[in-house]
């Protein structure tokens, strides 16, 4: 199965959209969560430190400025081992307690970069506040490191969840897409088989009954109708054959009885013979139609016999060289192979195919035309070509040549029923061979490619 | 010659019976397959013409039953239009020849005559002779009035069929079947062209023509009558 087809499948694309939407929501959730966590943790820090400030203020009220200074010394010492700081500045802005420096240019709770220890350059973000007490300024704060750590853990958790979910989504999408692609491919194959004449082939309907299965059910109903129609067409072809046999037989024999009558004038005899010829032409047309119907109806049954196409083509060329010469044309045989060119099929049918191609070239080409018959065995693939340098067929009309009753000259002045190429196509289809028309520049080239055996 | 005609279309049968009787043959006509089989078992005749589709018992079954019973009666099977496969089935079941409906009476007559002729032919003669023309089947050469005539493969095959049926009519369709192995009408002048080539070799250089065209039917080979 082609990966590109799976990734371009609609269920895979739907999954991709889902993944994008999920990641967007996840990112938003992560941002909100981090903002909330930060706010909560900061509030927590604030209430803890504000409790310490209240204690210091109480001590100051009891013991005055000295008490304040002593209390600050104690607190600062105990903070030195933790991630907190406590500093005291006098009214001139000189630090009297504490070993680090925070510029006094703020109010309320702020984040400030403060050295992590006295005498180092390394700084960290601290959450600090400054409180004026008795002309002094008390600065107290806490390192935000653990807040950042909590945030980091949260982000990591969201990233893991996001990656895991994306992977699972894509896996599900791939499975669904390859499942539906497999079904679509199976449908395509089945329809191809039906188109090739296997009218009893049906689409498989899986028990999960999804959209594709429901479409398959509907298509199966249509295929049933189609095969019934094909069946009735085949039956009516056979019925026509039987029904025509009777009146045509009677007409033929009746005319011959009349021709035997000695009282007939030469003029009447000529008329009756003309009618007889027309009747023979009519019979030939019906015969070809029925032949096509029978060959198409037999499609699918295995052809077991095989024969030497090289010998057949050589034999037919020998015959038609004479016919071409008689109408002022030249038939050239170019059979590259010396060894027998064996193909599987019905020799009588293939003989008729080759004859129809040769006859078509001879009938539709003017005096002086060269007709070349080629046969090649390209690594087991047998290729038969009949090419001429006659008037050719315009490209637009080429595909219609295989339709029954089509003739390139709309005036219908040339001989023939327009069924010869349709019959050739039926015979080629019956043998799983392809038949194609190309420009021989100038003229027409017909190529028949037989499948490898 | 006595001919059995098994044909359920009375109108067709009427024409065929009249035509055959006019050509000097005696005809018995039945309309049912079972009657055809019992006729062949209890009566003597020279050739049977069986329609493939008949009430009671179809032509192919009649033929199979006859052959199973050891009958060697020459049988001409009438088949449906465009049905090559059934013709093949007919030949495999032991029919000596087949003819698709609708047919020309002259075609039927030529084939009936050819069938009885085949039956009476005994040992394979190594040479065929018509008037002063001889055809050596072993060396594959033709000779007329002491002159050796060069023939192409198809011309030889054509001459052989004509000479084997010397004095009888060989139709265009019979030639297509026997010389070219075509079970279809190619609509081109295959037969006419080859006969004309053959004539230019075996007739033109000599004063007595041997190949005669039978109007609307085919060809016949014979010396001066």
């Amino acid at each position: 199965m082609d990966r590109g087809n799976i990734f371009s499948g609609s269920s895979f694309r739907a999954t991709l959209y889902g993944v994008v939407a999920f990641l967007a929501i996840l990112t938003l959730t992560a941002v909100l969560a981090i903002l909330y966590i930060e706010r909560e943790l900061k509030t927590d820090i604030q209430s803890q430190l504000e409790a310490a400030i209240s204690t210091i203020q109480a001590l100051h009220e009891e013991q005055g400025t000295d008490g304040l200074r002593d209390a600050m010394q104690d607190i600062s010492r105990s903070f030195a081992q933790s991630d907190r700081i406590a500093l005291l500045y006098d009214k001139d802005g000189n630090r009297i307690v504490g070993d680090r420096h925070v510029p006094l240019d703020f109010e309320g709770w702020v984040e400030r970069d403060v050295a992590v220890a006295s005498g180092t350059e390394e700084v960290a973000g601290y959450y600090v506040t400054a409180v004026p007490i008795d002309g002094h300024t008390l600065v107290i704060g806490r390192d935000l490191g653990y807040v950042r750590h909590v945030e980091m853990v949260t982000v990591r958790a969201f990233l893991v969840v996001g990656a895991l979910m994306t992977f699972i989504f894509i896996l599900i999408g791939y499975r669904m897409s390859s499942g539906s692609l497999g079904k679509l491919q199976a449908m395509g194959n089945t329809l191809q088989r039906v188109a090739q004449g296997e009218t009893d082939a049906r689409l498989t309907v899986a028990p999960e009954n999804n959209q594709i299965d429901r479409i398959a059910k509907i298509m199966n109903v249509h295929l049933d109708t189609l095969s019934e129609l094909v069946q009735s067409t085949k039956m009516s072809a056979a019925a026509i054959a039987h029904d025509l046999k009777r009146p045509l037989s009677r007409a033929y024999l009746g005319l011959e009885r009349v021709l035997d009558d000695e009282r007939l004038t030469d003029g009447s005899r000529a008329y009756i013979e003309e009618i007889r010829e027309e009747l023979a032409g009519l019979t030939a047309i019906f015969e070809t139609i029925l032949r096509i119907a029978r060959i198409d109806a037999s499609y699918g049954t295995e052809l077991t016999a095989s024969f030497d196409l090289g010998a057949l083509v050589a034999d037919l060329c020998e015959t038609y060289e004479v016919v071409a010469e008689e109408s002022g044309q030249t038939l050239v045989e170019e059979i590259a192979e010396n060894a027998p060119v064996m193909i599987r099929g019905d020799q009588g049918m293939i003989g008729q195919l080759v004859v129809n191609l040769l006859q078509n070239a001879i009938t539709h080409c003017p005096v002086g035309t060269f007709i070349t018959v080629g046969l090649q065995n390209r690594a087991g693939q047998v290729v038969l070509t009949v090419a001429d340098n006659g008037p050719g067929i315009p490209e637009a009309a080429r595909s219609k040549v295989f339709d029954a009753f089509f003739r390139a000259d709309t005036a219908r002045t040339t001989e023939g029923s327009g069924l010869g190429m349709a019959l050739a196509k039926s015979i080629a289809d019956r043998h799983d061979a392809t038949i194609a028309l190309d420009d021989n520049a100038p003229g027409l080239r017909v190529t028949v490619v037989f499948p490898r055996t | 010659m006595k001919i059995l005609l098994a044909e359920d279309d009375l109108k067709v049968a009427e024409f065929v019976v009249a035509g055959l009787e006019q050509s000097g043959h005696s005809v018995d006509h039945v309309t049912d397959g079972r009657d055809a089989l019992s006729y062949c078992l209890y009566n003597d005749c020279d050739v049977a013409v069986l329609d493939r589709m008949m009430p009671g018992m179809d032509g192919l079954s009649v033929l199979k039953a006859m052959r199973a019973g050891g009958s060697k009666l020459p049988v001409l099977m009438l088949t449906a239009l465009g049905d090559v496969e059934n013709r093949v089935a007919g030949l495999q079941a032991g029919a000596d020849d087949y003819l698709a409906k609708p047919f020309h009476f002259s075609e039927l007559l030529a084939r009936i005559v050819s069938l009885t002729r085949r039956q009476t032919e005994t040992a394979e003669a190594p040479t065929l002779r018509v008037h002063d023309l001889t055809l050596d089947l072993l060396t594959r050469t033709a000779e007329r009035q002491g002159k050796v005539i060069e023939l192409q493969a198809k011309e030889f095959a054509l001459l052989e069929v004509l000479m084997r049926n010397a004095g009888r009519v060989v139709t265009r369709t019979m030639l297509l079947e026997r010389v070219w192995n075509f079970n279809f009408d190619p609509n081109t002048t295959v037969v006419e062209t080859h006969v004309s080539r053959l004539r230019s070799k075996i007739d033109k250089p000599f004063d007595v023509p041997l190949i005669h065209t039978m109007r609307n039917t085919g060809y016949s080979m014979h010396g001066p009558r």
Side-chain angles (χ1 to χ4, degrees), chain A residues 241-242 244-257 259-260 269-270 273 276-277 280 283-284 286-288 290-291 294-295 298 315-316 318-323 325-326 346-349 351-353 355-356 359 362-363 416-417, chain B residues 7-16 18-19 22 51-53 78-87 100-108 152-155 179-190 193-194 196-197 215-217:
Chain A
H242 194 252
L244 278 176
K245 205 169 68 168
R246 211 166 270 257
L248 280 173
S249 295
R250 290 174 182 180
Y252 266 48
L253 296 167
L255 282 179
E256 269 170 303
R257 291 295 293 157
L259 281 172
D260 279 347
R269 192 176 298 274
E273 277 173 4
R276 213 175 82 130
E277 282 308 303
T283 308
F286 278 125
E287 166 137 27
T288 312
L290 291 169
R291 189 90 195 94
R294 285 212 170 86
I295 290 171
S298 73
D315 189 52
L316 292 173
E318 194 187 319
T319 294
Y320 276 87
E321 268 163 21
V322 180
V323 179
E325 204 176 303
E326 210 67 24
D346 183 305
Q347 181 160 3
M349 266 196 243
Q352 185 157 17
L353 166 81
V355 164
N356 282 10
Q359 195 182 295
I362 291 171
T363 313
S417 60
Chain B
E7 163 65 64
D8 63 316
D9 185 337
L10 295 177
K11 200 82 191 166
V12 166
E14 187 192 316
F15 285 130
V16 172
Q22 201 177 351
D51 190 10
R52 179 82 167 69
M53 307 269 276
L78 298 177
T79 63
L81 194 65
D83 198 347
V84 177
E85 286 70 25
N86 267 337
R87 293 182 199 174
K101 273 183 168 184
F103 51 82
H104 291 297
F105 177 74
S106 48
E107 183 80 41
L108 177 70
Q152 301 292 322
K154 287 293 165 209
E155 291 165 352
V179 178
W180 284 275
N181 207 16
F182 286 0
N183 49 25
F184 53 90
D185 189 338
N187 292 325
T188 36
T189 55
V190 173
T193 323
H194 281 83
S196 136
R197 293 269 163 138
R215 192 173 162 79
N216 289 327
T217 311

Side-chain angles (χ1 to χ4, degrees), chain B:
Chain B
M1 199 159 55
K2 196 167 184 193
I3 302 161
L4 168 70
L5 173 68
E7 163 65 64
D8 63 316
D9 185 337
L10 295 177
K11 200 82 191 166
V12 166
E14 187 192 316
F15 285 130
V16 172
V17 170
L20 288 173
E21 280 174 350
Q22 201 177 351
S23 314
H25 303 289
S26 124
V27 189
D28 280 322
H29 172 223
V30 294
T31 55
D32 183 287
R34 285 169 300 209
D35 293 345
L37 183 59
S38 61
Y39 182 97
C40 291
L41 292 176
Y42 302 113
N43 298 274
D44 201 31
C45 68
D46 299 300
V47 63
V49 178
L50 301 178
D51 190 10
R52 179 82 167 69
M53 307 269 276
M54 270 189 295
M57 193 175 180
D58 69 273
L60 202 63
S61 305
V62 173
L63 175 64
K64 281 180 182 163
M66 275 168 59
R67 292 290 183 250
S71 168
K72 289 193 172 68
L73 178 69
V75 168
L76 191 151
M77 190 72 82
L78 298 177
T79 63
L81 194 65
D83 198 347
V84 177
E85 286 70 25
N86 267 337
R87 293 182 199 174
V88 175
L91 290 180
Q92 280 169 347
D96 298 273
D97 200 0
Y98 57 80
L99 184 59
K101 273 183 168 184
F103 51 82
H104 291 297
F105 177 74
S106 48
E107 183 80 41
L108 177 70
L109 184 62
R111 283 172 187 267
I112 289 174
V113 172
S114 170
L115 269 190
T116 52
R117 155 90 188 214
R118 249 195 252 176
Q119 201 68 9
T120 52
E121 242 174 35
T122 44
E124 282 274 312
T127 58
L128 298 171
R129 174 178 291 275
V130 174
H131 190 55
D132 51 0
L133 173 71
T134 52
L135 187 69
D136 191 321
L137 298 175
L138 296 175
T139 61
R140 301 185 72 81
T141 50
E143 198 184 307
R144 191 171 180 190
Q145 293 175 10
K147 283 180 200 157
V148 174
I149 302 162
E150 290 290 327
L151 294 175
Q152 301 292 322
K154 287 293 165 209
E155 291 165 352
F156 181 89
L158 177 61
L159 187 58
E160 185 186 337
V161 172
L162 287 172
M163 286 179 83
R164 278 191 189 280
N165 289 282
R168 323 261 164 174
V169 177
V170 185
T171 66
R172 196 171 158 272
T173 324
M174 285 160 81
L175 287 174
L176 284 171
E177 284 169 13
R178 290 172 198 178
V179 178
W180 284 275
N181 207 16
F182 286 0
N183 49 25
F184 53 90
D185 189 338
N187 292 325
T188 36
T189 55
V190 173
V191 178
E192 292 77 359
T193 323
H194 281 83
V195 168
S196 136
R197 293 269 163 138
L198 187 59
R199 269 187 175 139
S200 70
K201 288 185 179 177
I202 67 156
D203 273 354
K204 290 268 170 62
F206 308 94
D207 25 316
V208 179
L210 299 177
I211 302 174
H212 305 271
T213 303
M214 309 306 287
R215 192 173 162 79
N216 289 327
T217 311
Y219 303 92
S220 178
M221 219 173 155
H222 56 78
R225 280 174 172 168

Side-chain angles (χ1 to χ4, degrees), chain A residues 85-406:
Chain A
I85 48 167
L87 312 169
L88 191 66
Y89 292 88
D90 64 16
K91 61 180 187 303
D92 303 319
N94 300 314
R95 189 175 70 226
I96 44 177
V97 175
D99 56 357
R100 275 165 275 175
H101 176 67
V102 177
L104 294 172
D105 53 357
F106 59 89
E107 277 175 30
W109 287 93
V110 293
E111 278 181 44
R112 278 288 176 278
D113 282 343
V114 178
V116 290
S118 70
T120 62
E121 294 285 299
E122 196 187 338
V123 294
Y126 276 71
Y127 197 47
V128 294
T129 191
V131 182
I133 300 176
D134 188 24
H136 292 71
T137 305
L138 174 110
V139 174
I140 198 157
R142 186 170 179 185
D143 187 351
L144 282 169
Y146 93 99
V147 176
R148 299 279 172 255
H149 177 73
V150 170
E151 283 172 357
M152 194 83 93
V153 168
T154 311
V155 167
R156 213 178 293 155
F158 273 106
L159 279 178
V160 168
V161 169
L164 205 67
M165 290 302 278
T166 305
F167 178 73
I168 289 170
F169 269 130
I170 286 177
L171 201 69
I172 291 170
Y174 184 86
R175 286 291 297 273
M176 272 164 56
S177 190
S178 69
S180 45
L181 180 73
K183 277 183 187 172
L184 290 174
Q185 274 179 349
M187 275 170 110
N189 292 342
T190 309
L191 292 177
Q192 182 95 25
R193 270 161 56 211
V194 174
Q196 280 169 350
E198 203 182 315
T199 48
D200 53 350
R202 289 293 175 272
L203 307 170
T204 42
V205 180
E208 65 240 48
N209 197 27
N210 63 18
Q211 283 159 322
I212 294 176
D213 293 317
R214 286 200 290 273
I215 289 170
K217 270 187 198 165
I218 296 168
M219 283 169 91
N220 278 344
V221 172
H222 286 301
L223 287 177
D224 287 343
T225 318
L226 184 73
S227 60
E228 274 165 31
L229 277 173
V230 170
Q231 198 57 34
S232 69
T233 311
K234 281 174 190 167
M235 298 220 319
S236 57
I240 289 168
H242 194 252
D243 290 352
L244 278 176
K245 205 169 68 168
R246 211 166 270 257
L248 280 173
S249 295
R250 290 174 182 180
Y252 266 48
L253 296 167
L255 282 179
E256 269 170 303
R257 291 295 293 157
V258 177
L259 281 172
D260 279 347
D261 194 332
E262 275 155 23
R263 289 165 298 175
L264 219 57
T265 64
D266 285 350
S268 324
R269 192 176 298 274
Y271 277 132
I272 292 172
E273 277 173 4
E274 226 170 86
I275 296 172
R276 213 175 82 130
E277 282 308 303
E278 291 299 329
L279 217 51
L282 184 70
T283 308
I285 291 171
F286 278 125
E287 166 137 27
T288 312
I289 295 172
L290 291 169
R291 189 90 195 94
I292 291 172
R294 285 212 170 86
I295 290 171
D296 290 349
S298 73
Y299 186 87
T301 51
E302 206 182 335
L303 293 160
T304 47
S306 57
F307 65 96
D308 182 2
L309 181 65
L312 177 70
V313 172
D315 189 52
L316 292 173
C317 281
E318 194 187 319
T319 294
Y320 276 87
E321 268 163 21
V322 180
V323 179
E325 204 176 303
E326 210 67 24
S327 49
Q329 299 155 334
T330 313
L331 188 110
V332 188
E333 180 197 317
E334 281 178 1
I335 298 182
E337 311 299 320
N338 289 321
V341 182
M342 299 305 289
I343 63 164
R344 192 186 292 272
D346 183 305
Q347 181 160 3
M349 266 196 243
I350 297 294
Q352 185 157 17
L353 166 81
V354 178
V355 164
N356 282 10
L357 298 183
L358 294 174
Q359 195 182 295
N360 200 55
I362 291 171
T363 313
H364 296 286
C365 290
V367 171
T369 306
F370 277 84
I371 299 160
T372 313
V373 181
L375 186 66
Q376 286 173 303
N377 193 342
R378 294 179 195 154
Q381 200 167 37
V382 176
V383 181
L384 169 76
T385 51
V386 176
D388 62 62
N389 60 352
I393 296 175
E395 197 178 348
R398 271 181 223 145
S399 62
K400 293 186 197 141
V401 168
F402 298 119
D403 296 345
F405 300 111
F406 174 82

